[in-house]
Amino acid sequence: MGSEPSGALLQIDVVTLFPELFDAPLHTSVIGRAVERGILSVMVHDLRAHGIGRHRVVDDAPYGGGAGMVMRPEPLFAAIEPLRADGTQVILLDPAGERLTDPLARELAAAGHLVLVCGRYEGIDERARALADRELSIGDYVLTGGELPALVLIDALGRLVPGVIEADSHESDSFADGLLEGPHYTRPEQFRDASVPPVLLSGHHGEVARWRRVEALRRTLARRPDLLATAPLTDQDRADLRLLSGEEDPPA
Ligand code: 21W
């Protein structure tokens, strides 16, 4: 397992003690379809196969004492070294890693071949960090292992691979233009006491685009004002933001 040639635009090998966690996500919806179509290749490798001795041991108590167990380096080296080829990026999922962001996801989606290493227990022996080209975290909260973070990464990267979703969908994603998206509506036109904003029914594409931009600015200002410091904004955006922040009457 792991060395068949692949025509996929992005090839991902995962090293984990819990391969079964990957079954449903890799067979479902957008990512499942991409894997089935061969645009995205994901191979999951059981680290236990490289465990030590008859009991396939992969962990041991920490030197110096303390609670919990630490992953031994030998199984990690045995699993990961054969997966590395020219241009491979080995990524350790680790709570102390660099935070995953949209720009980093776009960079990694173009990398060609990734090996994702999922830790369990208290973490891996410090000497096994040398296997990794980078260490990534998905946020400041504590999980039980690196598998769900690896799946988050696969999901985020998979949809960026050309052909996986409709061509333009990620250009307008929240974060791609540095702003949150505004509201979306579908049928019915009237639901309970709430109706769809008339501009969306007007057929005026220019007016719709302008409304969406103002709503994106409104929502970003309300929920993530930190994003406005780095978002690329036009003079019109800045004028709208001044109105929205209450210096003057807000846009309709
Ligand atoms: C949990 C590993 C606890 C190590 C400060 C206080 C991979 C993860 C993981 C895990 C410990 C990611 C600590 C967000 C995550 C992961 C399992 C040991 C660490 N630091 N991104 N405690 N959150 N988590 N204590 O948990 O492997 S990426």
Side-chain angles (χ1 to χ4, degrees), residues 59-94:
D59 63 326
D60 208 332
Y63 278 120
M69 300 291 270
V70 175
M71 291 173 78
R72 287 182 59 138
E74 307 95 313
L76 289 164
F77 275 79
I80 294 160
E81 279 182 333
L83 297 174
R84 193 187 271 285
D86 271 4
T88 300
Q89 285 224 51
V90 177
I91 298 177
L92 173 67
L93 285 311
D94 189 284

Side-chain angles (χ1 to χ4, degrees), residues 91-195:
I91 298 177
L92 173 67
L93 285 311
D94 189 284
E98 177 188 356
R99 181 87 63 88
L100 179 63
T101 60
D102 189 68
L104 182 53
R106 287 166 194 271
E107 180 188 329
L108 294 175
H113 181 216
L114 303 175
V115 175
L116 307 185
V117 183
C118 307
R120 280 272 152 178
Y121 316 118
E122 291 308 299
I124 68 173
D125 183 285
E126 189 63 22
R127 295 163 292 185
R129 284 190 199 273
L131 285 164
D133 298 297
R134 62 205 312 169
E135 303 185 12
L136 292 190
S137 161
I138 62 163
D140 293 343
Y141 37 84
V142 182
L143 302 170
T144 58
E147 284 78 10
L148 293 174
L151 283 165
V152 165
L153 188 58
I154 292 167
D155 195 272
L157 304 193
R159 64 188 290 287
L160 293 172
V161 172
V164 170
I165 60 176
E166 204 179 310
D168 295 336
S169 301
H170 14 78
E171 301 340 309
S172 65
D173 281 349
S174 277
F175 301 113
D177 64 3
L179 299 176
L180 302 182
E181 282 176 16
H184 301 283
Y185 292 88
T186 186
R187 287 190 285 196
E189 216 177 290
Q190 186 78 37
F191 178 69
R192 306 260 170 114
D193 60 350
S195 49

